[in-house]
Amino acid sequence: MTAPHTYITTTIPYVNARPHIGFALELVQADVLARHRRARGDRVRFQAGTDDNSLKNVLAAEAACVPVREFVDRNAEAFLALGDALSLTVDDVIRTSRDPRHRPGVERFWRASAQSGDLYRKQYEGRYCTGCEQFYTPAELDDGRCPEHDTVPQQVTEENWFFRLSRYAAPLREAITSGRLRIEPAGRRNEVLAFIDGGLADFSVSRPATRAGGWGIAVPGDPDQVIYVWFDALCNYVTALGYGEDGAGYRQWWANGDAAASRVHLAGKGVLRFHAVYWPAMLLSAGQPLPTAIVVHDYLTAGGRKISKSAGAPVSEPAALAAGYGADAVRWWLLREVPRVGDADFTVERLIARADDELANGLGNLVNRVVAMIHRYRAGRVPPRAEGSAVLPGGEDLATAVRRAGPDIDAALAEFDYRAAAAAVWAIADEANRFVNRIQPWVLAKAERAGTGQSADLDAALGALLGACQALGRELGPFLPDAAGRIAAQCTPGPDGRLPLPSPVFRRLAPRPAAGTPG
Ligand SMILES: [Zn+2]
C-alpha cells in the first residue's frame, strides 16, 4: 500500500505584466496544502506555471515595443522568482510556450476530443474581451462592458472550431452532485450547477492564426487556426505530467485509478467556469479522469481598489513585499486575513500590523521569553517531564490547545479553510501567552529561591511552555516554514543538553516603543 498521491496545481497566469499580491495568495494557499499533505504522509506534487500563449501577451508586448518572446520570457521570470521569494515548495513549473511537454499534450488532447466527435467548424460572430480571452453574450455584459475589465469587448466575426460542451451537461452535473468533483466553497458549486442548468452552449476553441499573430499552438491538421488559449492553457494540468506521450508521470499523478488520490486545482473566482465546466467537459471528452477538487478563492483589493496586473501597482508586488518584510509576514497576512468567502483588502499597513502583533509580539516574544526563562532558572536545560502542569491554573487549557491544533488544522484544510487552519496554530500561542501571564513563572522562581515553593511547579510550567513552543514549531511548518525552522531550532537542546541562547525569531517591522517584558 503506497501513500495517497496528491497533485496540487495553481492556475497559470498570463505573463502580460509582473505578478501581483492576488496571485501570491493562490501560490501560498497551494504551498500550505502541499506542505501539510506531505507532513501527513501523502506523496505530493505541487505544480505551477505560466500561460505564455495568450493574445494578451502579444498585445502587451506590442504596446511595450518588445519582441513577444523577450517580453514573455522576462515576465515569466518574475513569476518563477516568486518560488524563492515566498518559500514555496513548487515541484515543477510549466511554461506553455517553451516546455517541450506542452505542445504534444495539447495536440493529443485536441485529437482525443476530435475523435469523440466533439470538435466542429462554424462561422461565429460575438463580442470578445481580450482581457478575459473570452467571448461574451450580450446578457453577460454590464451595460455592454466586460464585467471583469469594464472595457467594451471587440466585435469579432470569424470561422472557428467549436467544442460540443452542450453534450456534457448531464455528466458534469452528476460528477459535481455526487461529490466526485468537489467545488469549494459551496457557493461556487451552486453557481456552477446553476450555470449548467441554464444550458451549456458550445464554445469556440480556436482563432484564426492571423488574429493571433502566429503566436500559439496550431490546430492539428488546420494550420490556419491556432488553438484557443484557454483550451491550450487548461491542458497544462496534464501536459506537465507527460500526458502527451502517455508518460509514467501522467499515469502516476492523474490517471492512477486510486480512489484515495487527490487532484486539486486552485483558481480565482474569475476563472471558475473554465475550471469547473470547460475543463472537466474537455477531460470527459478525451476520456480522462476528472480533478477531485476545484478550490476557488475570491479576490484581493489593494487599498480598496481592484488589483490589476496592467495597472502595475508596485506596492502589491509580492517579491518586493517579501524582500522588504520577509516571506513569513507576507504569508501570515494572506493566511490569517483572507477569508474563505469574500474579498479582502490588502495594505502594507495591515501586513505590518498583523506581523508585529502576532508574529513579533505574540509568537516571537513567547518563544523568546520561554527560552530565556529556561536559561535563567534552569541553566538552559529542559526541565524534567512533569505531570504537574495540568494542575497549574490554565495548564489544562494550554494542553488542550496543543493537543487540538493538529486535528483542527487537518479539519480546516480538508475544507480548504486556510484562515481557520492558521487560527488553530495561533490558538497555541494565544493560550501559552495567557498561561505565562496567569502563572507568572518568575513568581514561582522567587518562591523556589525563598524556599516557599515547589521546584516541581516551575519545572512543570517551563516544561509545558517549552512543549507548546515545540508544538508551534511543528504545526507552523506548512504556514510559515522559515519561522517554524527558527522556532524548532530555538526549542531543541544541543549536544550539551542546553537550549541555544535566545535570539529573536521575528524582527519587528514597525518601530514602536519597547514594552516591558517581565521574566
Ligand atoms: Zn474581460
Side-chain angles (χ1 to χ4, degrees), residues 445-491:
K446 211 169 161 185
E448 185 186 72
R449 278 198 302 274
T452 57
Q454 300 288 329
S455 292
D457 280 353
L458 185 56
D459 280 342
L462 295 176
L465 285 167
L466 183 65
C469 292
Q470 287 167 335
L472 275 170
R474 220 167 33 240
E475 300 296 351
L476 262 181
F479 304 88
L480 303 180
D482 302 348
R486 293 195 297 273
I487 293 173
Q490 274 280 271
C491 299

Coordinates of all heavy atoms in Angstrom, one line a residue, residues 445-491:
A445 N 9.6 31.2 40.5 CA 11.1 31.1 40.7 C 11.5 31.8 42.0 O 12.4 31.4 42.7 CB 11.8 31.8 39.5
K446 N 10.8 32.9 42.3 CA 11.1 33.7 43.5 C 10.8 32.8 44.7 O 11.5 32.7 45.7 CB 10.2 34.9 43.5 CG 10.9 36.1 44.2 CD 10.1 37.4 44.0 CE 10.4 38.4 45.0 NZ 9.5 39.6 44.8
A447 N 9.6 32.1 44.7 CA 9.2 31.3 45.8 C 10.2 30.1 45.9 O 10.5 29.7 47.1 CB 7.8 30.7 45.5
E448 N 10.6 29.6 44.8 CA 11.6 28.5 44.8 C 12.9 28.9 45.5 O 13.4 28.3 46.4 CB 11.9 28.0 43.4 CG 12.8 26.8 43.3 CD 13.1 26.5 41.9 OE1 13.9 27.2 41.3 OE2 12.6 25.5 41.3
R449 N 13.4 30.2 45.2 CA 14.6 30.7 45.8 C 14.4 30.9 47.3 O 15.3 30.7 48.1 CB 15.0 32.0 45.1 CG 15.8 31.8 43.8 CD 16.5 33.0 43.4 NE 15.7 34.2 43.3 CZ 15.0 34.5 42.1 NH1 15.1 33.7 41.1 NH2 14.2 35.6 42.1
A450 N 13.2 31.3 47.6 CA 12.9 31.7 49.0 C 12.6 30.4 49.8 O 12.4 30.5 51.0 CB 11.8 32.6 49.1
G451 N 12.5 29.3 49.1 CA 12.2 28.0 49.8 C 10.8 27.8 50.2 O 10.4 27.0 51.0
T452 N 9.9 28.7 49.6 CA 8.5 28.6 50.0 C 7.7 27.9 48.8 O 6.5 27.8 49.0 CB 7.9 30.0 50.2 OG1 8.1 30.8 49.1 CG2 8.5 30.6 51.4
G453 N 8.3 27.6 47.7 CA 7.6 27.0 46.6 C 8.2 25.7 46.2 O 9.3 25.3 46.5
Q454 N 7.4 24.9 45.4 CA 7.9 23.6 44.9 C 8.7 23.8 43.6 O 8.2 24.4 42.7 CB 6.7 22.7 44.6 CG 5.8 22.4 45.8 CD 6.5 21.5 46.8 OE1 7.3 20.7 46.4 NE2 6.2 21.7 48.1
S455 N 9.9 23.2 43.5 CA 10.6 23.2 42.2 C 9.8 22.5 41.1 O 9.9 22.9 40.0 CB 11.9 22.4 42.4 OG 12.8 23.1 43.3
A456 N 9.0 21.5 41.5 CA 8.3 20.8 40.5 C 7.3 21.7 39.8 O 7.0 21.5 38.6 CB 7.6 19.6 41.2
D457 N 6.7 22.7 40.5 CA 5.8 23.6 39.9 C 6.4 24.4 38.7 O 5.9 24.5 37.6 CB 5.2 24.6 40.9 CG 4.1 24.0 41.7 OD1 3.7 22.8 41.4 OD2 3.7 24.6 42.7
L458 N 7.6 24.9 39.0 CA 8.3 25.7 38.0 C 8.8 24.8 36.8 O 8.6 25.2 35.7 CB 9.6 26.4 38.6 CG 10.3 27.4 37.7 CD1 9.4 28.4 37.0 CD2 11.5 28.0 38.4
D459 N 9.2 23.6 37.2 CA 9.6 22.6 36.2 C 8.4 22.3 35.3 O 8.5 22.3 34.0 CB 10.0 21.3 36.8 CG 11.4 21.3 37.3 OD1 12.2 22.2 36.8 OD2 11.8 20.4 38.1
A460 N 7.2 22.1 35.9 CA 6.0 21.8 35.1 C 5.6 23.0 34.2 O 5.3 22.8 33.1 CB 4.9 21.5 36.1
A461 N 5.7 24.2 34.8 CA 5.3 25.4 34.0 C 6.2 25.5 32.8 O 5.8 25.7 31.7 CB 5.3 26.6 34.9
L462 N 7.5 25.5 33.1 CA 8.5 25.7 32.0 C 8.4 24.6 30.9 O 8.5 24.8 29.7 CB 9.9 25.8 32.5 CG 10.2 27.0 33.4 CD1 11.6 26.9 34.0 CD2 10.0 28.3 32.7
G463 N 8.2 23.3 31.4 CA 8.1 22.2 30.5 C 6.8 22.3 29.6 O 6.9 22.1 28.4
A464 N 5.7 22.8 30.2 CA 4.5 22.9 29.4 C 4.7 24.0 28.4 O 4.3 23.9 27.2 CB 3.3 23.3 30.3
L465 N 5.4 25.1 28.8 CA 5.6 26.2 27.8 C 6.5 25.8 26.7 O 6.3 26.1 25.5 CB 6.1 27.4 28.6 CG 5.1 28.1 29.4 CD1 5.7 29.1 30.3 CD2 4.1 28.8 28.5
L466 N 7.6 25.1 27.1 CA 8.5 24.6 26.0 C 7.8 23.7 25.1 O 8.0 23.7 23.9 CB 9.8 24.0 26.6 CG 10.8 23.6 25.6 CD1 11.4 24.8 24.9 CD2 11.9 22.7 26.3
G467 N 7.0 22.8 25.6 CA 6.2 21.9 24.8 C 5.3 22.6 23.8 O 5.2 22.2 22.7
A468 N 4.7 23.7 24.3 CA 3.8 24.5 23.5 C 4.6 25.1 22.3 O 4.2 25.2 21.2 CB 3.1 25.6 24.3
C469 N 5.8 25.6 22.7 CA 6.7 26.3 21.6 C 7.1 25.2 20.6 O 7.2 25.5 19.4 CB 7.9 26.9 22.3 SG 7.4 28.4 23.3
Q470 N 7.5 24.0 21.1 CA 7.9 23.0 20.2 C 6.7 22.6 19.3 O 6.9 22.4 18.1 CB 8.3 21.7 20.9 CG 9.7 22.0 21.6 CD 10.1 20.9 22.6 OE1 9.2 20.3 23.2 NE2 11.4 20.8 22.8
A471 N 5.5 22.6 19.8 CA 4.3 22.3 19.0 C 4.1 23.4 18.0 O 3.7 23.1 16.8 CB 3.1 22.2 19.9
L472 N 4.4 24.6 18.3 CA 4.3 25.7 17.4 C 5.3 25.5 16.2 O 4.9 25.7 15.1 CB 4.6 27.0 18.1 CG 3.4 27.7 18.8 CD1 3.9 28.9 19.6 CD2 2.3 28.2 17.8
G473 N 6.5 25.1 16.6 CA 7.5 24.9 15.6 C 7.0 23.8 14.6 O 7.3 23.9 13.4
R474 N 6.4 22.8 15.1 CA 5.9 21.7 14.3 C 4.7 22.1 13.4 O 4.7 22.0 12.2 CB 5.5 20.6 15.2 CG 5.8 19.2 14.8 CD 5.7 18.2 15.9 NE 4.6 18.5 16.9 CZ 4.7 18.6 18.2 NH1 5.9 18.6 18.7 NH2 3.7 18.8 19.0
E475 N 3.7 22.7 14.1 CA 2.4 22.9 13.4 C 2.5 24.1 12.4 O 1.7 24.2 11.5 CB 1.3 23.1 14.4 CG 1.0 21.9 15.3 CD 0.6 20.7 14.5 OE1 0.3 20.8 13.3 OE2 0.5 19.6 15.2
L476 N 3.4 25.0 12.7 CA 3.6 26.2 11.9 C 4.2 25.9 10.5 O 4.2 26.7 9.6 CB 4.4 27.3 12.5 CG 3.8 28.4 13.3 CD1 4.8 29.3 13.8 CD2 2.8 29.2 12.4
G477 N 4.9 24.7 10.5 CA 5.6 24.3 9.3 C 5.0 24.6 7.9 O 5.6 25.3 7.1
P478 N 3.7 24.2 7.7 CA 3.1 24.4 6.4 C 2.8 25.9 6.2 O 2.7 26.3 5.0 CB 1.8 23.6 6.5 CG 2.0 22.6 7.5 CD 2.9 23.3 8.5
F479 N 2.7 26.7 7.2 CA 2.2 28.0 7.1 C 3.4 29.0 7.0 O 3.4 29.8 6.1 CB 1.3 28.4 8.3 CG 0.2 27.5 8.5 CD1 0.3 26.3 9.3 CD2 -1.0 27.7 7.9 CE1 -0.8 25.4 9.4 CE2 -2.1 26.9 8.0 CZ -2.0 25.7 8.8
L480 N 4.3 28.9 8.0 CA 5.5 29.8 8.0 C 6.7 28.9 8.1 O 7.3 28.8 9.1 CB 5.4 30.7 9.2 CG 4.2 31.6 9.4 CD1 4.3 32.5 10.6 CD2 4.0 32.5 8.1
P481 N 7.1 28.3 7.0 CA 8.2 27.3 7.0 C 9.5 27.9 7.6 O 10.2 27.2 8.3 CB 8.3 26.8 5.6 CG 7.6 27.9 4.7 CD 6.5 28.5 5.6
D482 N 9.8 29.1 7.2 CA 11.1 29.7 7.7 C 11.0 29.9 9.2 O 12.0 29.5 9.9 CB 11.3 31.1 7.0 CG 11.4 30.9 5.4 OD1 11.4 29.8 5.0 OD2 11.3 31.9 4.7
A483 N 10.0 30.5 9.7 CA 9.9 30.8 11.1 C 9.8 29.5 11.9 O 10.3 29.3 13.0 CB 8.6 31.6 11.4
A484 N 9.1 28.5 11.3 CA 8.9 27.2 12.0 C 10.3 26.6 12.3 O 10.5 26.1 13.3 CB 8.0 26.3 11.2
G485 N 11.2 26.7 11.3 CA 12.5 26.2 11.4 C 13.3 26.9 12.5 O 14.0 26.3 13.3
R486 N 13.1 28.2 12.6 CA 13.8 29.0 13.6 C 13.3 28.7 15.0 O 14.0 28.6 16.0 CB 13.7 30.5 13.3 CG 14.4 31.0 12.1 CD 14.5 32.5 12.1 NE 13.3 33.2 12.0 CZ 12.6 33.5 10.9 NH1 13.1 33.2 9.7 NH2 11.4 34.1 10.9
I487 N 12.0 28.5 15.1 CA 11.4 28.2 16.4 C 11.8 26.8 16.9 O 12.2 26.6 18.0 CB 9.8 28.3 16.3 CG1 9.4 29.7 16.1 CG2 9.2 27.7 17.6 CD1 7.9 29.9 15.9
A488 N 11.8 25.9 15.9 CA 12.2 24.5 16.3 C 13.7 24.5 16.8 O 14.0 23.8 17.7 CB 12.0 23.6 15.1
A489 N 14.5 25.3 16.1 CA 15.9 25.3 16.5 C 16.1 25.9 17.9 O 16.9 25.5 18.7 CB 16.7 26.2 15.4
Q490 N 15.3 27.0 18.2 CA 15.3 27.6 19.5 C 14.9 26.6 20.6 O 15.4 26.7 21.7 CB 14.4 28.8 19.5 CG 15.0 30.1 19.0 CD 15.9 30.7 20.1 OE1 15.4 31.5 20.9 NE2 17.2 30.4 20.1
C491 N 14.1 25.7 20.3 CA 13.5 24.8 21.3 C 14.1 23.4 21.3 O 13.5 22.5 21.9 CB 12.0 24.7 21.0 SG 11.1 26.3 21.2

